[in-house]
Amino acid sequence: MKTKAAVLHQVGGHKRPYSDSKPLKIEEIELGKPGKEEVIVQVKAAGLCHSDLSVIDGNRPRPMPMVLGHEAAGVIVELGEDVKGFELGDHVVFAFLPSCGHCEYCMSGKAALCNPGAKANNEGVLLNGDIKIKSQSGETYHHHLGVSGFAGYAIASIYSLVKIDKSYPFEIAALFGCAVMTGVGAVVHTAQVHVGESVLVVGLGGVGLSAILGAKAAGASKIIAADVSHSKLDVAKEFGATHTINSGKEGALEELKQEITVSGVDKSVEFAGAMPALDFAFNATKKGGVTVTGALPHPDARLSLNPLTLVGQEKSLKGCYLGSCVPSIDIPNFLELYKNGNLPVDKLITHRLKLEDINEGFERLASGEAIRQVIIFD
C-alpha cells in the first residue's frame, strides 16, 4: 500500500525555524502486507508531541530514516493473520509502547515496562522485529514507537492498539494515546493523588495540562501550575489550576512553601524535561511527599540530589513512563471520563493542520506557541 508520510532523515542539526529548514520531508512510502497479529490502520488524526520534537532536535536519538508520529487514532482497514480482538472498521487509538502481554512486567500489570516493547521501540521496528516501511526507491524506513502516525496509513502490531467506541471524535481520541494517558496517568497511577491533597505540576505543555485535568478529576485541593512562560501560566488557570507560579523567578520556591502551602506540596509531577524544573519539583515537595517525573531530557542530563534529603525527609522520587498505565484498560476509562465531562481535553487542541503543514507545526511547538496541534487526515 502506498501512502504519504512525514519522514525524518537526520536526527539533530536542523536550523530553526523548522518552517524554513523543513526537517520532515513529505514523501510517498510503501507499506508491506500486515503479517501475523498485524493490521493496517487508516490514520484519521495525529498529534504533534514534544517527544517527536525531541527526535527532530537530537534529544532522543532514534535510528534513521524514520516515519515520525506516535500519538494517533484511526480505523482498521486490513487484517493480517491470527488477528484476534479486532475487526475491519474498528476505531483504535495507538499506544506508543506495545505491550506483549507475556513478559514479567506485562504479567504483573506494568505494561509501561514491557521488555520486548521497549526493545522494539529502541530499534525502530514492530513488536515482532519486522520493518514494514520502504521508500519508493526501496530504502528501509524505521517505525516510530510502533506507530509512525504521521502518515495516511500505518501498519501496526495489535499489541500497539486499543479499540475504542466509535462515538469519539478521532482528534480527541488521538490525544489519549500520549498526552492524556501520560499526564493523567502520572497523577492517578504514579503519584497516586488522593482527594484533598495538594499537587504541583511543573511544565505546562500538553502532558502537563493533562496532568492538571487529572489532578482536578482526582479531587486535589490545591493545584499549583509552574512554568517559566507567563502565557502558559495563564492557560493553566483555564484547565483548573488554583495557583500559578513562575518557577524561574527568584524566591519562587519560598513563595510556594510559605505562602501558597504550609511547607510544600503532597505530590509534584514534572514534565519540562529540564533539570532545574525537576529540582524545583523535588524541593517543593514536603516531607514524606512524592515527586514524579515523566519528562524525557537529553540522555546526558544528570540530576544532583542529596541522599540525606531522601532519608531524613522520607521523600520519594519516581519515574513515570506511559503514565504507568495499562493502555487497554486506562485509555477506555479515561475516554469515559472525557465523555462524562470530567476530562475536558478538547481544551488542549490549539491548531488543526494538514500533513503538509507539519514543519510549521513543529516550529510553533518549539517556540511555545501551541499546546496540542492535531493533523487531520481526509
Side-chain angles (χ1 to χ4, degrees):
M1 175 182 286
K2 294 180 180 180
T3 187
K4 284 186 177 180
V7 183
L8 184 69
H9 288 268
Q10 174 188 332
V11 172
H14 307 284
K15 292 183 178 180
R16 300 268 311 276
Y18 296 135
S19 51
D20 292 339
S21 62
K22 298 189 183 305
L24 289 164
K25 309 301 180 186
I26 307 302
E27 304 177 18
E28 188 171 71
I29 62 169
E30 184 83 33
L31 296 180
K33 295 288 291 183
K36 184 178 180 180
E37 299 182 316
E38 293 175 349
V39 300
I40 290 182
V41 177
Q42 183 179 8
V43 180
K44 292 292 188 177
L48 275 63
C49 176
H50 265 282
S51 294
D52 301 302
L53 182 60
S54 294
V55 179
I56 294 171
D57 65 20
N59 279 327
R60 295 296 293 170
R62 296 289 181 189
M64 293 288 117
M66 174 176 279
V67 177
L68 284 192
H70 69 282
E71 181 183 88
V75 182
I76 294 178
V77 295
E78 189 174 342
L79 303 175
E81 299 176 3
D82 298 329
V83 171
K84 296 179 177 64
F86 296 92
E87 298 178 355
L88 291 175
D90 281 347
H91 290 198
V92 294
V93 172
F94 291 84
F96 64 86
L97 180 79
S99 306
C100 74
H102 54 73
C103 72
E104 61 176 307
Y105 294 107
C106 287
M107 293 290 285
S108 61
K110 299 179 180 179
L113 302 179
C114 175
N115 271 334
K119 182 176 184 293
N121 281 2
N122 288 334
E123 295 175 357
V125 300
L126 296 176
L127 184 60
N128 62 5
D130 287 347
I131 298 179
K132 294 287 184 73
I133 309 175
K134 291 187 179 295
S135 70
Q136 287 301 293
S137 62
E139 182 182 3
T140 296
Y141 285 172
H142 290 87
H143 299 264
H144 186 212
L145 304 182
V147 182
S148 290
F150 294 156
Y153 293 84
I155 186 167
S157 164
I158 59 173
Y159 301 106
S160 292
L161 300 173
V162 176
K163 183 163 65 173
I164 62 169
D165 189 89
K166 294 181 180 180
S167 64
Y168 296 111
F170 288 111
E171 64 180 50
I172 297 296
L175 303 177
F176 285 78
C178 180
V180 179
M181 179 167 58
T182 302
V184 177
V187 169
V188 300
H189 290 320
T190 321
Q192 297 184 352
V193 171
H194 297 137
V195 172
E197 289 188 319
S198 56
V199 179
L200 168 66
V201 179
V202 184
L204 302 176
V207 178
L209 292 172
S210 294
I212 290 176
L213 294 178
K216 185 177 180 181
S221 59
K222 288 183 179 179
I223 305 172
I224 306 164
D227 205 288
V228 294
S229 166
H230 289 291
S231 61
K232 289 185 178 181
L233 293 174
D234 290 337
V235 170
K237 295 176 183 177
E238 301 173 14
F239 280 73
T242 59
H243 301 78
T244 60
I245 190 165
N246 187 322
S247 53
K249 75 175 183 180
E250 186 176 352
L253 186 62
E254 289 73 20
E255 179 184 344
L256 184 148
K257 298 183 75 170
Q258 298 173 15
E259 298 179 24
I260 301 177
T261 66
V262 176
S263 58
V265 294
D266 295 298
K267 308 287 173 63
S268 64
V269 291
E270 180 270 326
F271 303 105
M275 291 305 98
L278 180 53
D279 189 64
F280 182 84
F282 183 76
N283 288 316
T285 304
K286 70 181 185 182
K287 292 181 180 180
V290 177
T291 302
V292 171
T293 177
L296 294 171
H298 191 278
D300 294 336
R302 293 292 182 271
L303 176 67
S304 178
L305 183 66
N306 185 346
L308 289 177
T309 303
L310 288 174
V311 176
Q313 297 186 17
E314 289 195 358
K315 294 169 71 168
S316 299
L317 176 60
K318 303 179 71 175
C320 167
Y321 193 59
L322 207 75
S324 302
C325 289
V326 178
S328 60
I329 296 173
D330 290 299
I331 288 178
N333 286 346
F334 291 169
L335 278 165
E336 279 292 314
L337 289 175
Y338 160 76
K339 185 177 181 179
N340 296 334
N342 293 315
L343 282 179
V345 300
D346 48 300
K347 294 181 180 180
L348 293 171
I349 301 176
T350 55
H351 300 78
R352 293 168 176 83
L353 317 173
K354 293 184 177 180
L355 182 63
E356 290 74 16
D357 302 322
I358 193 168
N359 289 297
E360 288 78 8
F362 274 112
E363 176 55 32
R364 211 177 281 121
L365 184 61
S367 60
E369 298 175 22
I371 300 174
R372 231 5 169 234
Q373 303 171 87
V374 181
I375 297 172
I376 307 296
F377 294 87
D378 296 330

